[in-house]
Amino acid sequence: MNGPQFHGSIHGSQIAIGNHDVSQSQRLSASRGIGDLAEAVAALLDALELLGLRADDERGVRQDAEAALDEAARQEPDVGRLRRLLERIRIVLVPVAAGATAGVTAGVNSGTAQLAQSLLTDLQQALP
């Protein structure tokens, strides 16, 4: 069989085959998953004190999470802003979650590392 073959989901993909000049654009709908995202961020806020973050990191994550909840509640949430806020949260949580695979680093027990990993997974899956 000649031509392209796709194995797996290509939902949301843009594909141009055999074209010389291609211009594409894509509009993503923020409505899908915003409720899931808000739930994941709320769970993060509920568990934040259990993560044992430094005070300034905890404060930053809290501010970003609250800003993400505010953005998610808008009529038309800015998906780019949501992703930037969640990326800043991820940067703080990844070292904590890494304790689950690295055999627990200083100040991080396995329960904390697993909690951080679970929160990160939930946030990633809920991204619009």
Side-chain angles (χ1 to χ4, degrees), residues 44-85:
L44 168 66
L45 286 170
D46 288 343
L48 193 55
E49 293 178 8
L50 301 174
L51 294 173
L53 299 173
R54 294 180 317 162
D56 57 332
D57 285 342
E58 184 177 326
R59 188 171 33 261
V61 168
R62 183 176 306 281
Q63 289 171 346
D64 289 342
E66 289 172 351
L69 284 176
D70 289 343
E71 188 64 42
R74 292 176 151 230
Q75 181 77 18
E76 292 187 34
D78 180 340
V79 174
R81 180 168 187 249
L82 283 169
R83 289 184 177 175
R84 287 188 301 275
L85 289 165

PDB file of all heavy atoms in Angstrom, residues 44-85:
ATOM      1  N   LEU A  44      -4.514  19.862  43.834  1.00  0.00           N
ATOM      2  CA  LEU A  44      -3.154  20.331  44.108  1.00  0.00           C
ATOM      3  C   LEU A  44      -3.161  21.308  45.273  1.00  0.00           C
ATOM      4  O   LEU A  44      -2.350  21.194  46.200  1.00  0.00           O
ATOM      5  CB  LEU A  44      -2.557  20.989  42.868  1.00  0.00           C
ATOM      6  CG  LEU A  44      -1.269  21.772  43.084  1.00  0.00           C
ATOM      7  CD1 LEU A  44      -0.122  20.862  43.483  1.00  0.00           C
ATOM      8  CD2 LEU A  44      -0.919  22.580  41.853  1.00  0.00           C
ATOM      9  N   LEU A  45      -4.078  22.268  45.239  1.00  0.00           N
ATOM     10  CA  LEU A  45      -4.154  23.241  46.329  1.00  0.00           C
ATOM     11  C   LEU A  45      -4.453  22.566  47.663  1.00  0.00           C
ATOM     12  O   LEU A  45      -3.884  22.938  48.689  1.00  0.00           O
ATOM     13  CB  LEU A  45      -5.199  24.315  46.012  1.00  0.00           C
ATOM     14  CG  LEU A  45      -4.787  25.335  44.958  1.00  0.00           C
ATOM     15  CD1 LEU A  45      -5.970  26.191  44.533  1.00  0.00           C
ATOM     16  CD2 LEU A  45      -3.649  26.208  45.475  1.00  0.00           C
ATOM     17  N   ASP A  46      -5.332  21.565  47.651  1.00  0.00           N
ATOM     18  CA  ASP A  46      -5.659  20.848  48.881  1.00  0.00           C
ATOM     19  C   ASP A  46      -4.458  20.095  49.449  1.00  0.00           C
ATOM     20  O   ASP A  46      -4.310  19.969  50.659  1.00  0.00           O
ATOM     21  CB  ASP A  46      -6.799  19.849  48.643  1.00  0.00           C
ATOM     22  CG  ASP A  46      -8.146  20.527  48.438  1.00  0.00           C
ATOM     23  OD1 ASP A  46      -8.283  21.716  48.786  1.00  0.00           O
ATOM     24  OD2 ASP A  46      -9.062  19.853  47.917  1.00  0.00           O
ATOM     25  N   ALA A  47      -3.593  19.595  48.561  1.00  0.00           N
ATOM     26  CA  ALA A  47      -2.454  18.776  48.993  1.00  0.00           C
ATOM     27  C   ALA A  47      -1.158  19.565  49.125  1.00  0.00           C
ATOM     28  O   ALA A  47      -0.140  19.013  49.548  1.00  0.00           O
ATOM     29  CB  ALA A  47      -2.245  17.640  47.996  1.00  0.00           C
ATOM     30  N   LEU A  48      -1.193  20.825  48.810  1.00  0.00           N
ATOM     31  CA  LEU A  48       0.034  21.619  48.716  1.00  0.00           C
ATOM     32  C   LEU A  48       0.883  21.586  49.980  1.00  0.00           C
ATOM     33  O   LEU A  48       2.102  21.402  49.919  1.00  0.00           O
ATOM     34  CB  LEU A  48      -0.327  23.062  48.338  1.00  0.00           C
ATOM     35  CG  LEU A  48       0.812  23.953  47.901  1.00  0.00           C
ATOM     36  CD1 LEU A  48       1.595  23.336  46.744  1.00  0.00           C
ATOM     37  CD2 LEU A  48       0.271  25.310  47.484  1.00  0.00           C
ATOM     38  N   GLU A  49       0.257  21.703  51.117  1.00  0.00           N
ATOM     39  CA  GLU A  49       1.016  21.726  52.378  1.00  0.00           C
ATOM     40  C   GLU A  49       1.671  20.372  52.688  1.00  0.00           C
ATOM     41  O   GLU A  49       2.650  20.315  53.418  1.00  0.00           O
ATOM     42  CB  GLU A  49       0.121  22.173  53.525  1.00  0.00           C
ATOM     43  CG  GLU A  49      -0.303  23.630  53.395  1.00  0.00           C
ATOM     44  CD  GLU A  49      -1.234  24.071  54.503  1.00  0.00           C
ATOM     45  OE1 GLU A  49      -1.444  23.298  55.461  1.00  0.00           O
ATOM     46  OE2 GLU A  49      -1.745  25.201  54.414  1.00  0.00           O
ATOM     47  N   LEU A  50       1.149  19.307  52.116  1.00  0.00           N
ATOM     48  CA  LEU A  50       1.700  17.973  52.359  1.00  0.00           C
ATOM     49  C   LEU A  50       2.982  17.714  51.569  1.00  0.00           C
ATOM     50  O   LEU A  50       3.690  16.745  51.845  1.00  0.00           O
ATOM     51  CB  LEU A  50       0.668  16.904  51.988  1.00  0.00           C
ATOM     52  CG  LEU A  50      -0.666  16.967  52.731  1.00  0.00           C
ATOM     53  CD1 LEU A  50      -1.632  15.951  52.154  1.00  0.00           C
ATOM     54  CD2 LEU A  50      -0.451  16.750  54.220  1.00  0.00           C
ATOM     55  N   LEU A  51       3.269  18.557  50.588  1.00  0.00           N
ATOM     56  CA  LEU A  51       4.412  18.330  49.710  1.00  0.00           C
ATOM     57  C   LEU A  51       5.745  18.755  50.321  1.00  0.00           C
ATOM     58  O   LEU A  51       6.798  18.401  49.806  1.00  0.00           O
ATOM     59  CB  LEU A  51       4.201  19.037  48.375  1.00  0.00           C
ATOM     60  CG  LEU A  51       3.052  18.489  47.535  1.00  0.00           C
ATOM     61  CD1 LEU A  51       2.822  19.356  46.313  1.00  0.00           C
ATOM     62  CD2 LEU A  51       3.320  17.046  47.138  1.00  0.00           C
ATOM     63  N   GLY A  52       5.703  19.521  51.407  1.00  0.00           N
ATOM     64  CA  GLY A  52       6.935  19.921  52.072  1.00  0.00           C
ATOM     65  C   GLY A  52       7.820  20.844  51.257  1.00  0.00           C
ATOM     66  O   GLY A  52       9.048  20.777  51.349  1.00  0.00           O
ATOM     67  N   LEU A  53       7.203  21.701  50.450  1.00  0.00           N
ATOM     68  CA  LEU A  53       7.978  22.638  49.641  1.00  0.00           C
ATOM     69  C   LEU A  53       8.548  23.762  50.501  1.00  0.00           C
ATOM     70  O   LEU A  53       8.020  24.061  51.575  1.00  0.00           O
ATOM     71  CB  LEU A  53       7.082  23.253  48.556  1.00  0.00           C
ATOM     72  CG  LEU A  53       6.452  22.294  47.556  1.00  0.00           C
ATOM     73  CD1 LEU A  53       5.472  23.037  46.660  1.00  0.00           C
ATOM     74  CD2 LEU A  53       7.519  21.601  46.727  1.00  0.00           C
ATOM     75  N   ARG A  54       9.599  24.375  49.994  1.00  0.00           N
ATOM     76  CA  ARG A  54      10.111  25.582  50.666  1.00  0.00           C
ATOM     77  C   ARG A  54       9.016  26.636  50.614  1.00  0.00           C
ATOM     78  O   ARG A  54       8.174  26.629  49.707  1.00  0.00           O
ATOM     79  CB  ARG A  54      11.361  26.102  49.956  1.00  0.00           C
ATOM     80  CG  ARG A  54      12.545  25.171  50.052  1.00  0.00           C
ATOM     81  CD  ARG A  54      13.755  25.716  49.352  1.00  0.00           C
ATOM     82  NE  ARG A  54      13.350  26.278  48.062  1.00  0.00           N
ATOM     83  CZ  ARG A  54      14.074  27.115  47.347  1.00  0.00           C
ATOM     84  NH1 ARG A  54      15.245  27.493  47.747  1.00  0.00           N
ATOM     85  NH2 ARG A  54      13.642  27.577  46.184  1.00  0.00           N
ATOM     86  N   ALA A  55       9.016  27.537  51.569  1.00  0.00           N
ATOM     87  CA  ALA A  55       7.939  28.526  51.690  1.00  0.00           C
ATOM     88  C   ALA A  55       7.750  29.334  50.407  1.00  0.00           C
ATOM     89  O   ALA A  55       6.614  29.550  49.968  1.00  0.00           O
ATOM     90  CB  ALA A  55       8.207  29.449  52.871  1.00  0.00           C
ATOM     91  N   ASP A  56       8.837  29.777  49.798  1.00  0.00           N
ATOM     92  CA  ASP A  56       8.688  30.580  48.585  1.00  0.00           C
ATOM     93  C   ASP A  56       8.182  29.746  47.410  1.00  0.00           C
ATOM     94  O   ASP A  56       7.396  30.227  46.588  1.00  0.00           O
ATOM     95  CB  ASP A  56       9.982  31.313  48.224  1.00  0.00           C
ATOM     96  CG  ASP A  56      11.167  30.390  48.034  1.00  0.00           C
ATOM     97  OD1 ASP A  56      11.201  29.307  48.635  1.00  0.00           O
ATOM     98  OD2 ASP A  56      12.091  30.779  47.276  1.00  0.00           O
ATOM     99  N   ASP A  57       8.587  28.471  47.323  1.00  0.00           N
ATOM    100  CA  ASP A  57       8.067  27.595  46.273  1.00  0.00           C
ATOM    101  C   ASP A  57       6.582  27.323  46.485  1.00  0.00           C
ATOM    102  O   ASP A  57       5.800  27.344  45.537  1.00  0.00           O
ATOM    103  CB  ASP A  57       8.833  26.267  46.230  1.00  0.00           C
ATOM    104  CG  ASP A  57      10.215  26.397  45.610  1.00  0.00           C
ATOM    105  OD1 ASP A  57      10.466  27.399  44.902  1.00  0.00           O
ATOM    106  OD2 ASP A  57      11.045  25.501  45.845  1.00  0.00           O
ATOM    107  N   GLU A  58       6.210  27.062  47.733  1.00  0.00           N
ATOM    108  CA  GLU A  58       4.800  26.809  48.023  1.00  0.00           C
ATOM    109  C   GLU A  58       3.946  28.032  47.692  1.00  0.00           C
ATOM    110  O   GLU A  58       2.874  27.909  47.094  1.00  0.00           O
ATOM    111  CB  GLU A  58       4.610  26.426  49.495  1.00  0.00           C
ATOM    112  CG  GLU A  58       3.178  26.071  49.825  1.00  0.00           C
ATOM    113  CD  GLU A  58       2.977  25.612  51.256  1.00  0.00           C
ATOM    114  OE1 GLU A  58       3.885  24.967  51.820  1.00  0.00           O
ATOM    115  OE2 GLU A  58       1.904  25.905  51.815  1.00  0.00           O
ATOM    116  N   ARG A  59       4.433  29.194  48.049  1.00  0.00           N
ATOM    117  CA  ARG A  59       3.711  30.436  47.758  1.00  0.00           C
ATOM    118  C   ARG A  59       3.564  30.623  46.244  1.00  0.00           C
ATOM    119  O   ARG A  59       2.496  30.968  45.749  1.00  0.00           O
ATOM    120  CB  ARG A  59       4.446  31.618  48.388  1.00  0.00           C
ATOM    121  CG  ARG A  59       3.724  32.931  48.340  1.00  0.00           C
ATOM    122  CD  ARG A  59       4.378  34.045  49.167  1.00  0.00           C
ATOM    123  NE  ARG A  59       5.833  34.001  49.258  1.00  0.00           N
ATOM    124  CZ  ARG A  59       6.530  33.506  50.303  1.00  0.00           C
ATOM    125  NH1 ARG A  59       5.888  33.018  51.347  1.00  0.00           N
ATOM    126  NH2 ARG A  59       7.848  33.514  50.311  1.00  0.00           N
ATOM    127  N   GLY A  60       4.629  30.374  45.493  1.00  0.00           N
ATOM    128  CA  GLY A  60       4.578  30.510  44.038  1.00  0.00           C
ATOM    129  C   GLY A  60       3.619  29.533  43.392  1.00  0.00           C
ATOM    130  O   GLY A  60       2.846  29.892  42.492  1.00  0.00           O
ATOM    131  N   VAL A  61       3.655  28.279  43.841  1.00  0.00           N
ATOM    132  CA  VAL A  61       2.742  27.264  43.302  1.00  0.00           C
ATOM    133  C   VAL A  61       1.310  27.645  43.629  1.00  0.00           C
ATOM    134  O   VAL A  61       0.415  27.535  42.785  1.00  0.00           O
ATOM    135  CB  VAL A  61       3.087  25.854  43.839  1.00  0.00           C
ATOM    136  CG1 VAL A  61       1.978  24.859  43.526  1.00  0.00           C
ATOM    137  CG2 VAL A  61       4.411  25.373  43.263  1.00  0.00           C
ATOM    138  N   ARG A  62       1.069  28.098  44.848  1.00  0.00           N
ATOM    139  CA  ARG A  62      -0.288  28.501  45.246  1.00  0.00           C
ATOM    140  C   ARG A  62      -0.789  29.651  44.352  1.00  0.00           C
ATOM    141  O   ARG A  62      -1.921  29.621  43.857  1.00  0.00           O
ATOM    142  CB  ARG A  62      -0.327  28.907  46.720  1.00  0.00           C
ATOM    143  CG  ARG A  62      -1.746  29.257  47.208  1.00  0.00           C
ATOM    144  CD  ARG A  62      -1.783  29.558  48.699  1.00  0.00           C
ATOM    145  NE  ARG A  62      -1.220  28.491  49.500  1.00  0.00           N
ATOM    146  CZ  ARG A  62      -1.853  27.354  49.820  1.00  0.00           C
ATOM    147  NH1 ARG A  62      -3.066  27.138  49.364  1.00  0.00           N
ATOM    148  NH2 ARG A  62      -1.260  26.446  50.571  1.00  0.00           N
ATOM    149  N   GLN A  63       0.055  30.653  44.133  1.00  0.00           N
ATOM    150  CA  GLN A  63      -0.337  31.793  43.294  1.00  0.00           C
ATOM    151  C   GLN A  63      -0.632  31.347  41.860  1.00  0.00           C
ATOM    152  O   GLN A  63      -1.633  31.759  41.266  1.00  0.00           O
ATOM    153  CB  GLN A  63       0.748  32.869  43.306  1.00  0.00           C
ATOM    154  CG  GLN A  63       0.849  33.606  44.618  1.00  0.00           C
ATOM    155  CD  GLN A  63       2.062  34.527  44.692  1.00  0.00           C
ATOM    156  OE1 GLN A  63       2.980  34.451  43.877  1.00  0.00           O
ATOM    157  NE2 GLN A  63       2.064  35.399  45.683  1.00  0.00           N
ATOM    158  N   ASP A  64       0.231  30.499  41.318  1.00  0.00           N
ATOM    159  CA  ASP A  64       0.013  30.016  39.953  1.00  0.00           C
ATOM    160  C   ASP A  64      -1.231  29.146  39.859  1.00  0.00           C
ATOM    161  O   ASP A  64      -1.986  29.230  38.889  1.00  0.00           O
ATOM    162  CB  ASP A  64       1.238  29.242  39.458  1.00  0.00           C
ATOM    163  CG  ASP A  64       2.427  30.156  39.181  1.00  0.00           C
ATOM    164  OD1 ASP A  64       2.236  31.384  39.028  1.00  0.00           O
ATOM    165  OD2 ASP A  64       3.560  29.642  39.116  1.00  0.00           O
ATOM    166  N   ALA A  65      -1.460  28.306  40.854  1.00  0.00           N
ATOM    167  CA  ALA A  65      -2.647  27.442  40.858  1.00  0.00           C
ATOM    168  C   ALA A  65      -3.925  28.281  40.957  1.00  0.00           C
ATOM    169  O   ALA A  65      -4.902  28.017  40.245  1.00  0.00           O
ATOM    170  CB  ALA A  65      -2.567  26.436  41.997  1.00  0.00           C
ATOM    171  N   GLU A  66      -3.921  29.281  41.809  1.00  0.00           N
ATOM    172  CA  GLU A  66      -5.095  30.144  41.938  1.00  0.00           C
ATOM    173  C   GLU A  66      -5.333  30.932  40.656  1.00  0.00           C
ATOM    174  O   GLU A  66      -6.481  31.102  40.228  1.00  0.00           O
ATOM    175  CB  GLU A  66      -4.942  31.065  43.148  1.00  0.00           C
ATOM    176  CG  GLU A  66      -5.070  30.298  44.470  1.00  0.00           C
ATOM    177  CD  GLU A  66      -4.729  31.118  45.701  1.00  0.00           C
ATOM    178  OE1 GLU A  66      -4.213  32.254  45.566  1.00  0.00           O
ATOM    179  OE2 GLU A  66      -4.963  30.604  46.813  1.00  0.00           O
ATOM    180  N   ALA A  67      -4.248  31.386  40.017  1.00  0.00           N
ATOM    181  CA  ALA A  67      -4.385  32.089  38.741  1.00  0.00           C
ATOM    182  C   ALA A  67      -4.940  31.142  37.670  1.00  0.00           C
ATOM    183  O   ALA A  67      -5.758  31.547  36.840  1.00  0.00           O
ATOM    184  CB  ALA A  67      -3.041  32.671  38.305  1.00  0.00           C
ATOM    185  N   ALA A  68      -4.514  29.879  37.699  1.00  0.00           N
ATOM    186  CA  ALA A  68      -5.025  28.887  36.746  1.00  0.00           C
ATOM    187  C   ALA A  68      -6.516  28.644  36.971  1.00  0.00           C
ATOM    188  O   ALA A  68      -7.283  28.532  36.008  1.00  0.00           O
ATOM    189  CB  ALA A  68      -4.242  27.582  36.855  1.00  0.00           C
ATOM    190  N   LEU A  69      -6.939  28.572  38.228  1.00  0.00           N
ATOM    191  CA  LEU A  69      -8.371  28.399  38.516  1.00  0.00           C
ATOM    192  C   LEU A  69      -9.170  29.601  38.023  1.00  0.00           C
ATOM    193  O   LEU A  69     -10.259  29.440  37.452  1.00  0.00           O
ATOM    194  CB  LEU A  69      -8.598  28.200  40.014  1.00  0.00           C
ATOM    195  CG  LEU A  69      -8.248  26.827  40.571  1.00  0.00           C
ATOM    196  CD1 LEU A  69      -8.438  26.807  42.087  1.00  0.00           C
ATOM    197  CD2 LEU A  69      -9.078  25.743  39.913  1.00  0.00           C
ATOM    198  N   ASP A  70      -8.644  30.801  38.236  1.00  0.00           N
ATOM    199  CA  ASP A  70      -9.324  32.010  37.759  1.00  0.00           C
ATOM    200  C   ASP A  70      -9.441  32.004  36.233  1.00  0.00           C
ATOM    201  O   ASP A  70     -10.489  32.331  35.677  1.00  0.00           O
ATOM    202  CB  ASP A  70      -8.588  33.274  38.212  1.00  0.00           C
ATOM    203  CG  ASP A  70      -8.711  33.529  39.709  1.00  0.00           C
ATOM    204  OD1 ASP A  70      -9.600  32.937  40.356  1.00  0.00           O
ATOM    205  OD2 ASP A  70      -7.903  34.328  40.229  1.00  0.00           O
ATOM    206  N   GLU A  71      -8.347  31.628  35.568  1.00  0.00           N
ATOM    207  CA  GLU A  71      -8.354  31.580  34.104  1.00  0.00           C
ATOM    208  C   GLU A  71      -9.326  30.521  33.603  1.00  0.00           C
ATOM    209  O   GLU A  71     -10.067  30.748  32.646  1.00  0.00           O
ATOM    210  CB  GLU A  71      -6.944  31.308  33.574  1.00  0.00           C
ATOM    211  CG  GLU A  71      -6.811  31.426  32.073  1.00  0.00           C
ATOM    212  CD  GLU A  71      -7.062  32.829  31.547  1.00  0.00           C
ATOM    213  OE1 GLU A  71      -6.582  33.805  32.166  1.00  0.00           O
ATOM    214  OE2 GLU A  71      -7.750  32.946  30.511  1.00  0.00           O
ATOM    215  N   ALA A  72      -9.343  29.361  34.245  1.00  0.00           N
ATOM    216  CA  ALA A  72     -10.224  28.275  33.832  1.00  0.00           C
ATOM    217  C   ALA A  72     -11.698  28.655  33.997  1.00  0.00           C
ATOM    218  O   ALA A  72     -12.552  28.138  33.277  1.00  0.00           O
ATOM    219  CB  ALA A  72      -9.914  27.010  34.634  1.00  0.00           C
ATOM    220  N   ALA A  73     -11.993  29.555  34.914  1.00  0.00           N
ATOM    221  CA  ALA A  73     -13.376  29.963  35.171  1.00  0.00           C
ATOM    222  C   ALA A  73     -13.884  31.003  34.170  1.00  0.00           C
ATOM    223  O   ALA A  73     -15.079  31.283  34.142  1.00  0.00           O
ATOM    224  CB  ALA A  73     -13.496  30.513  36.591  1.00  0.00           C
ATOM    225  N   ARG A  74     -12.994  31.540  33.337  1.00  0.00           N
ATOM    226  CA  ARG A  74     -13.409  32.552  32.359  1.00  0.00           C
ATOM    227  C   ARG A  74     -14.304  31.941  31.280  1.00  0.00           C
ATOM    228  O   ARG A  74     -14.250  30.746  31.018  1.00  0.00           O
ATOM    229  CB  ARG A  74     -12.184  33.174  31.692  1.00  0.00           C
ATOM    230  CG  ARG A  74     -11.374  33.991  32.631  1.00  0.00           C
ATOM    231  CD  ARG A  74     -10.119  34.490  31.936  1.00  0.00           C
ATOM    232  NE  ARG A  74      -9.754  35.735  32.566  1.00  0.00           N
ATOM    233  CZ  ARG A  74      -9.486  36.839  31.901  1.00  0.00           C
ATOM    234  NH1 ARG A  74      -9.469  36.841  30.596  1.00  0.00           N
ATOM    235  NH2 ARG A  74      -9.199  37.936  32.549  1.00  0.00           N
ATOM    236  N   GLN A  75     -15.059  32.788  30.639  1.00  0.00           N
ATOM    237  CA  GLN A  75     -15.933  32.367  29.537  1.00  0.00           C
ATOM    238  C   GLN A  75     -15.128  31.674  28.439  1.00  0.00           C
ATOM    239  O   GLN A  75     -15.523  30.623  27.943  1.00  0.00           O
ATOM    240  CB  GLN A  75     -16.656  33.592  28.954  1.00  0.00           C
ATOM    241  CG  GLN A  75     -17.612  33.271  27.827  1.00  0.00           C
ATOM    242  CD  GLN A  75     -18.914  32.687  28.319  1.00  0.00           C
ATOM    243  OE1 GLN A  75     -19.256  32.817  29.476  1.00  0.00           O
ATOM    244  NE2 GLN A  75     -19.636  32.036  27.426  1.00  0.00           N
ATOM    245  N   GLU A  76     -14.004  32.269  28.049  1.00  0.00           N
ATOM    246  CA  GLU A  76     -13.102  31.678  27.055  1.00  0.00           C
ATOM    247  C   GLU A  76     -11.689  31.685  27.619  1.00  0.00           C
ATOM    248  O   GLU A  76     -10.924  32.624  27.402  1.00  0.00           O
ATOM    249  CB  GLU A  76     -13.159  32.458  25.744  1.00  0.00           C
ATOM    250  CG  GLU A  76     -14.490  32.324  25.025  1.00  0.00           C
ATOM    251  CD  GLU A  76     -14.464  32.959  23.653  1.00  0.00           C
ATOM    252  OE1 GLU A  76     -13.407  32.932  22.990  1.00  0.00           O
ATOM    253  OE2 GLU A  76     -15.507  33.488  23.255  1.00  0.00           O
ATOM    254  N   PRO A  77     -11.317  30.642  28.350  1.00  0.00           N
ATOM    255  CA  PRO A  77      -9.990  30.603  28.974  1.00  0.00           C
ATOM    256  C   PRO A  77      -8.871  30.659  27.937  1.00  0.00           C
ATOM    257  O   PRO A  77      -8.993  30.125  26.841  1.00  0.00           O
ATOM    258  CB  PRO A  77      -9.973  29.251  29.694  1.00  0.00           C
ATOM    259  CG  PRO A  77     -11.385  28.820  29.773  1.00  0.00           C
ATOM    260  CD  PRO A  77     -12.100  29.452  28.629  1.00  0.00           C
ATOM    261  N   ASP A  78      -7.800  31.327  28.305  1.00  0.00           N
ATOM    262  CA  ASP A  78      -6.603  31.407  27.465  1.00  0.00           C
ATOM    263  C   ASP A  78      -5.784  30.147  27.722  1.00  0.00           C
ATOM    264  O   ASP A  78      -5.126  30.018  28.756  1.00  0.00           O
ATOM    265  CB  ASP A  78      -5.811  32.667  27.836  1.00  0.00           C
ATOM    266  CG  ASP A  78      -4.550  32.849  27.023  1.00  0.00           C
ATOM    267  OD1 ASP A  78      -4.048  31.863  26.436  1.00  0.00           O
ATOM    268  OD2 ASP A  78      -4.045  33.987  26.992  1.00  0.00           O
ATOM    269  N   VAL A  79      -5.835  29.207  26.783  1.00  0.00           N
ATOM    270  CA  VAL A  79      -5.168  27.922  26.940  1.00  0.00           C
ATOM    271  C   VAL A  79      -3.658  28.115  27.077  1.00  0.00           C
ATOM    272  O   VAL A  79      -3.010  27.431  27.869  1.00  0.00           O
ATOM    273  CB  VAL A  79      -5.515  26.976  25.770  1.00  0.00           C
ATOM    274  CG1 VAL A  79      -4.718  25.691  25.853  1.00  0.00           C
ATOM    275  CG2 VAL A  79      -7.008  26.683  25.761  1.00  0.00           C
ATOM    276  N   GLY A  80      -3.103  29.035  26.334  1.00  0.00           N
ATOM    277  CA  GLY A  80      -1.664  29.304  26.430  1.00  0.00           C
ATOM    278  C   GLY A  80      -1.268  29.755  27.823  1.00  0.00           C
ATOM    279  O   GLY A  80      -0.257  29.302  28.366  1.00  0.00           O
ATOM    280  N   ARG A  81      -2.057  30.629  28.407  1.00  0.00           N
ATOM    281  CA  ARG A  81      -1.761  31.094  29.772  1.00  0.00           C
ATOM    282  C   ARG A  81      -1.886  29.945  30.763  1.00  0.00           C
ATOM    283  O   ARG A  81      -1.046  29.792  31.659  1.00  0.00           O
ATOM    284  CB  ARG A  81      -2.697  32.230  30.171  1.00  0.00           C
ATOM    285  CG  ARG A  81      -2.418  32.741  31.580  1.00  0.00           C
ATOM    286  CD  ARG A  81      -3.126  34.048  31.873  1.00  0.00           C
ATOM    287  NE  ARG A  81      -2.678  34.556  33.152  1.00  0.00           N
ATOM    288  CZ  ARG A  81      -3.451  34.618  34.242  1.00  0.00           C
ATOM    289  NH1 ARG A  81      -4.715  34.237  34.195  1.00  0.00           N
ATOM    290  NH2 ARG A  81      -2.966  35.078  35.375  1.00  0.00           N
ATOM    291  N   LEU A  82      -2.915  29.124  30.603  1.00  0.00           N
ATOM    292  CA  LEU A  82      -3.074  27.968  31.483  1.00  0.00           C
ATOM    293  C   LEU A  82      -1.854  27.055  31.397  1.00  0.00           C
ATOM    294  O   LEU A  82      -1.327  26.602  32.415  1.00  0.00           O
ATOM    295  CB  LEU A  82      -4.333  27.179  31.119  1.00  0.00           C
ATOM    296  CG  LEU A  82      -5.656  27.774  31.567  1.00  0.00           C
ATOM    297  CD1 LEU A  82      -6.817  27.042  30.921  1.00  0.00           C
ATOM    298  CD2 LEU A  82      -5.770  27.751  33.078  1.00  0.00           C
ATOM    299  N   ARG A  83      -1.388  26.810  30.200  1.00  0.00           N
ATOM    300  CA  ARG A  83      -0.225  25.938  30.031  1.00  0.00           C
ATOM    301  C   ARG A  83       1.030  26.542  30.639  1.00  0.00           C
ATOM    302  O   ARG A  83       1.842  25.832  31.228  1.00  0.00           O
ATOM    303  CB  ARG A  83      -0.019  25.615  28.557  1.00  0.00           C
ATOM    304  CG  ARG A  83      -1.100  24.691  28.052  1.00  0.00           C
ATOM    305  CD  ARG A  83      -0.887  24.269  26.640  1.00  0.00           C
ATOM    306  NE  ARG A  83      -1.949  23.335  26.277  1.00  0.00           N
ATOM    307  CZ  ARG A  83      -2.113  22.848  25.092  1.00  0.00           C
ATOM    308  NH1 ARG A  83      -1.292  23.167  24.121  1.00  0.00           N
ATOM    309  NH2 ARG A  83      -3.098  22.013  24.847  1.00  0.00           N
ATOM    310  N   ARG A  84       1.201  27.849  30.507  1.00  0.00           N
ATOM    311  CA  ARG A  84       2.373  28.510  31.121  1.00  0.00           C
ATOM    312  C   ARG A  84       2.314  28.420  32.641  1.00  0.00           C
ATOM    313  O   ARG A  84       3.325  28.132  33.290  1.00  0.00           O
ATOM    314  CB  ARG A  84       2.463  29.967  30.662  1.00  0.00           C
ATOM    315  CG  ARG A  84       2.912  30.132  29.218  1.00  0.00           C
ATOM    316  CD  ARG A  84       3.174  31.582  28.861  1.00  0.00           C
ATOM    317  NE  ARG A  84       2.010  32.441  29.031  1.00  0.00           N
ATOM    318  CZ  ARG A  84       1.054  32.624  28.119  1.00  0.00           C
ATOM    319  NH1 ARG A  84       1.118  31.991  26.963  1.00  0.00           N
ATOM    320  NH2 ARG A  84       0.039  33.432  28.354  1.00  0.00           N
ATOM    321  N   LEU A  85       1.149  28.651  33.217  1.00  0.00           N
ATOM    322  CA  LEU A  85       0.999  28.556  34.671  1.00  0.00           C
ATOM    323  C   LEU A  85       1.288  27.139  35.153  1.00  0.00           C
ATOM    324  O   LEU A  85       2.008  26.934  36.142  1.00  0.00           O
ATOM    325  CB  LEU A  85      -0.410  28.985  35.097  1.00  0.00           C
ATOM    326  CG  LEU A  85      -0.719  30.474  34.974  1.00  0.00           C
ATOM    327  CD1 LEU A  85      -2.228  30.715  35.060  1.00  0.00           C
ATOM    328  CD2 LEU A  85       0.020  31.266  36.039  1.00  0.00           C
TER     329      LEU A  85
END
